[in-house]
Amino acid sequence: MSNPQQLRYSKEHEWLSTADDGVSTVGITEFAANALGDVVYAQLPEVGSTVTAGDTCGELESTKSVSDLYSPVTGEITEANQDVVDDPSLVNSAPFEGGWLFKVRVADEPKDLLSADEYTEFSGN
């Protein structure tokens, strides 16, 4: 399992792309997707809503359990991935590509996000 170097990671197993014009993409890591099992339902934050770093902003339901989705940053949701709502298995099959979850206009980014190497060490993968 390889975590893309250009992303940053939270200890809740979300990844965050570098902000493009202030907007970052958020998803869950391959490690988290594998731990969840087959994702069958995704509730994502609504466009226009505000999320706060570390707070719950949605949920993913798998054949094994239901897991809260946490925002790694504070900001306003600019897009939710409708493809994942329509086909939640994208979270498992392409967690770093088509399985992204939402885009957020970043207002504040916590200092404790991890690099790919730090996240690999943290998650044991």
Side-chain angles (χ1 to χ4, degrees):
M1 182 178 330
S2 178
N3 298 304
Q5 291 292 319
Q6 73 276 18
L7 302 176
R8 284 161 294 145
Y9 301 85
S10 74
K11 291 184 176 180
E12 287 78 28
H13 308 287
E14 281 83 25
W15 58 261
L16 176 77
S17 70
T18 302
D20 234 359
D21 296 330
V23 176
S24 288
T25 303
V26 175
I28 67 165
T29 65
E30 186 175 5
F31 173 81
N34 288 339
L36 271 174
D38 295 332
V39 176
V40 295
Y41 174 77
Q43 177 196 351
L44 304 178
E46 291 187 27
V47 173
S49 65
T50 301
V51 293
T52 302
D55 285 358
T56 303
C57 63
E59 70 180 30
L60 297 174
E61 184 177 329
S62 72
T63 54
K64 292 181 181 179
S65 67
V66 175
S67 180
D68 287 333
L69 176 62
Y70 298 93
S71 179
V73 294
T74 298
E76 180 183 343
I77 301 300
T78 62
E79 186 178 350
N81 189 348
Q82 187 61 45
D83 290 342
V84 165
V85 172
D86 296 340
D87 182 7
S89 70
L90 287 170
V91 171
N92 299 104
S93 63
F96 296 113
E97 295 89 27
W100 61 272
L101 301 176
F102 61 90
K103 294 186 180 186
V104 58
R105 183 168 309 284
V106 179
D108 186 41
E109 185 176 303
K111 304 285 185 238
D112 63 349
L113 292 176
L114 307 172
S115 70
D117 293 338
E118 290 167 332
Y119 178 75
T120 299
E121 186 175 321
F122 168 76
S123 64
N125 287 302

